[in-house]
Amino acid sequence: VYGLQSIFYFLHLVFPFINMKGWFGYRTPTISAERLQKHFDEAPWRRAFEPPEQEVDMIISSDCIEGKIPPNIEGTVFGNGVGRQRYGEHVYGHWFEGDGHVTSFCYKEGKVRVRNKFVDQRRYKENAAANKIVSRGPWTNVNGGVFGNAFRLSKTNPSNTSVIHHGGKLFALCEAGAPVEMGDDLSTIGERTFGDLVGSDGKACTFSAHYKIDPATGTVFNHGMVYGKDSSMSLFSWNKNLEMQKITTVPLEPNTIQFVHDSCFSKKYSTFFFDSFKADKKGLLSVLLGYKPLGYAFEEHIGEGTRVVVLNRENGTIVADMKIEDTHTYHFVTGVDRIGDDGEELLDVYFFRYMDRTGLEEFLRSVYTRTLPDAASATLWKYTFDVTHKKLISTEQPFPNALPGEFPVINGEHEGKEFPVVYAVAVKKGSGFFSALQRIDAKTGEVKLHDFGAKKYPGEPVLLEHDGSTFIQVLIFNADTNASEIHIIDDRDFSGHATAIIKLPIHVPPQFHTYYAAHHVVDM
């Protein structure tokens, strides 16, 4: 392998014209300024994916706050997402691949302090210094065709998906590697590995960006992957002392890579969907030889079905391992364990289901130029499994009035239980992107919408709960001002005007996931 790599590298240097033209393989995507402006004019929300103008650390002036921040809100909302999707004309090959960018909004006594910083990882430093993409990534080849990419597997960790404040420390998370520790000022401290359990060297597991927190103990449960000849997924527990333990390991299809972002958390079980969107041996060979990046080796294997694995978190046993029809999801709401009429154990799984995974991926690979097709939007489903007899017994859309959407959020106290309300961003028909916030009453089925107005696009909601009151914070991109706003909504008047609108001096690109550290306040 090293000999072949040396030959390819020699050809890459000797024939620079191949490097320039990107022959014989996928090249780094590009977009001209003129074409970019055209797409901004067609769909104003696309401008949200531009990088922030600067990094700031400031208390927002009262002149920039419409209404009043509820004084009983005290704590810090941390958020993470892709802060940079392109360098000049060089564009990352997928929304999920851009550079990690973390924000913090710290509330106390009706004031808010705003910070934002890029996660200062190796790949970010290299690309920023060159002002172009020079590191091969999961969805992006560097220019040079097979000569510039063969045997150069991506080992980058953009730390761009989620964030958690756990055990008194802040971590940025991404499926590509280990947690990255950050200071309260958002400075990057570095990757945090856990022996041979979690790391980024390919031998230890990665650490998913979508953890679950047991509301009774505060213990974090998460999963990680090891890929290769003996691919597997492991389930971990992570206590408040930052001690990590492996609960169990599930063998996966060998020589195949599957992407598992989220799990369904119920009182006793952690449930995983392994769908048919995967990279097989043939696709992985094309990645090794430098023809295509890893993400483009993933294909939907229609008809193979989705493997569902139900794990008992207490003893690590696989209580059910079954195949169901092709089912695709990124995010679960929660799971509910219950006993059926004949004494059988039942599991209700609530999640947002995608009916057109290929259409979704085409959008995610080209957010500057495509819109999200209505057919590729996710809708809220409920699957009921008979865990005792290891079979799926029913599927339904329990809330027919709910809009397509994403990023479901419930009160953390209801994790793994019957939940009264679920909040999620909504995709109005023909909007092409997230365009409203919805509140779904699980008992009555009533759906309320909060419309932010024309050319205002929301991200994941986060619940701020204090003294019996529930407020919802939503980060908005305002295309008219090319800046972001924080909207704080009172749950008692969900469809009404926001309690407070905080106008930020910068725009924050769309974020994936947030974490609210209640009562955690730094330097106000």
Side-chain angles (χ1 to χ4, degrees), residues 69-357:
I69 300 173
N72 59 333
I73 295 178
E74 182 176 308
T76 302
V77 176
F78 297 99
N80 195 359
V82 170
R84 182 176 287 277
Q85 195 66 36
R86 68 182 181 94
Y87 287 90
E89 294 189 350
H90 286 212
V91 185
Y92 284 117
H94 200 285
W95 182 8
F96 295 173
E97 192 179 359
D99 300 322
H101 175 254
V102 175
T103 59
S104 69
F105 307 126
C106 185
Y107 297 97
K108 187 175 182 180
E109 298 176 350
K111 298 180 180 180
V112 59
R113 181 171 186 165
V114 176
R115 292 183 175 96
N116 72 303
K117 279 189 180 180
F118 280 92
V119 184
D120 201 15
Q121 287 284 78
R122 176 181 60 82
R123 187 194 68 165
Y124 169 68
K125 294 177 182 177
E126 292 176 351
N127 291 342
N131 196 32
K132 62 180 181 180
I133 298 173
V134 296
S135 298
R136 191 185 191 198
W139 284 276
T140 309
N141 272 358
V142 295
N143 281 339
V146 294
F147 297 100
N149 293 276
F151 303 104
R152 298 175 182 214
L153 301 181
S154 169
K155 294 184 178 180
T156 58
N157 180 4
S159 309
N160 63 9
T161 312
S162 188
V163 67
I164 184 171
H165 197 275
H166 184 58
K169 297 184 182 296
L170 178 66
F171 298 92
L173 306 178
C174 176
E175 271 79 10
V180 173
E181 186 177 345
M182 305 184 75
D184 278 323
D185 62 353
L186 304 188
S187 59
T188 300
I189 296 172
E191 280 196 339
R192 180 73 176 265
T193 58
F194 296 85
D196 59 354
L197 295 181
V198 170
S200 298
D201 61 1
K203 297 178 182 179
C205 284
T206 60
F207 197 68
S208 174
H210 215 294
Y211 51 84
K212 302 295 183 180
I213 300 177
D214 187 331
T217 65
T219 299
V220 172
F221 291 91
N222 205 1
H223 62 280
M225 315 293 284
V226 172
Y227 299 116
K229 182 180 179 181
D230 300 312
S231 295
S232 63
M233 184 205 73
S234 292
L235 178 66
F236 304 98
S237 65
W238 195 23
N239 66 25
K240 293 182 179 179
N241 295 323
L242 300 181
E243 297 167 333
M244 192 174 292
Q245 289 187 331
K246 182 186 292 186
I247 298 173
T248 190
T249 296
V250 178
L252 302 180
E253 189 175 344
N255 299 310
T256 299
I257 293 181
Q258 293 175 284
F259 180 75
V260 181
H261 174 59
D262 196 7
S263 66
C264 179
F265 186 96
S266 59
K267 188 175 182 180
K268 293 193 297 184
Y269 305 127
S270 286
T271 302
F272 296 87
F273 284 15
F274 301 92
D275 65 24
S276 59
F277 190 75
K278 58 189 177 182
D280 59 16
K281 187 183 298 185
K282 179 181 176 182
L284 293 175
L285 179 61
S286 69
V287 176
L288 180 65
L289 295 178
Y291 179 73
K292 63 173 65 171
L294 175 61
Y296 283 81
F298 277 72
E299 295 178 349
E300 186 176 0
H301 296 255
I302 298 174
E304 286 194 9
T306 293
R307 180 188 180 193
V308 178
V309 177
V310 182
L311 300 176
N312 185 315
R313 284 195 306 276
E314 183 175 342
N315 57 28
T317 58
I318 298 177
V319 296
D321 191 342
M322 41 196 157
K323 268 291 184 77
I324 62 173
E325 65 176 343
D326 291 322
T327 302
H328 303 284
T329 184
Y330 271 110
H331 295 115
F332 294 92
V333 179
T334 195
V336 179
D337 306 330
R338 57 189 177 91
I339 303 299
D341 295 337
D342 297 321
E344 71 276 23
E345 288 193 77
L346 301 179
L347 171 63
D348 296 326
V349 174
Y350 295 85
F351 67 101
F352 274 86
R353 179 183 180 182
Y354 287 95
M355 305 302 289
D356 180 7
R357 180 61 182 268

Side-chain angles (χ1 to χ4, degrees), residues 33-101:
E34 294 77 12
R35 187 177 170 218
L36 196 61
Q37 185 58 52
K38 175 186 175 183
H39 288 295
F40 288 163
D41 293 340
E42 291 175 350
W45 54 262
R46 290 180 179 137
R47 195 181 292 275
F49 289 94
E50 288 291 85
E53 297 78 7
Q54 58 182 321
E55 294 180 339
V56 301
D57 182 351
M58 61 188 299
I59 295 177
I60 300 298
S61 166
S62 59
D63 296 338
C64 297
I65 301 176
E66 178 184 324
K68 290 186 177 181
I69 300 173
N72 59 333
I73 295 178
E74 182 176 308
T76 302
V77 176
F78 297 99
N80 195 359
V82 170
R84 182 176 287 277
Q85 195 66 36
R86 68 182 181 94
Y87 287 90
E89 294 189 350
H90 286 212
V91 185
Y92 284 117
H94 200 285
W95 182 8
F96 295 173
E97 192 179 359
D99 300 322
H101 175 254

Side-chain angles (χ1 to χ4, degrees), residues 352 378-381 397-405 422 424-428 438-441 445-449:
F352 274 86
T379 49
L380 185 52
W381 285 72
Q397 291 181 266
F399 311 112
N401 295 324
L403 271 65
V422 57
V425 294
V427 182
K428 295 180 182 178
Q438 57 184 324
R439 180 190 190 276
I440 304 167
D441 190 312
E446 180 186 20
V447 178
K448 294 181 179 180
L449 281 185

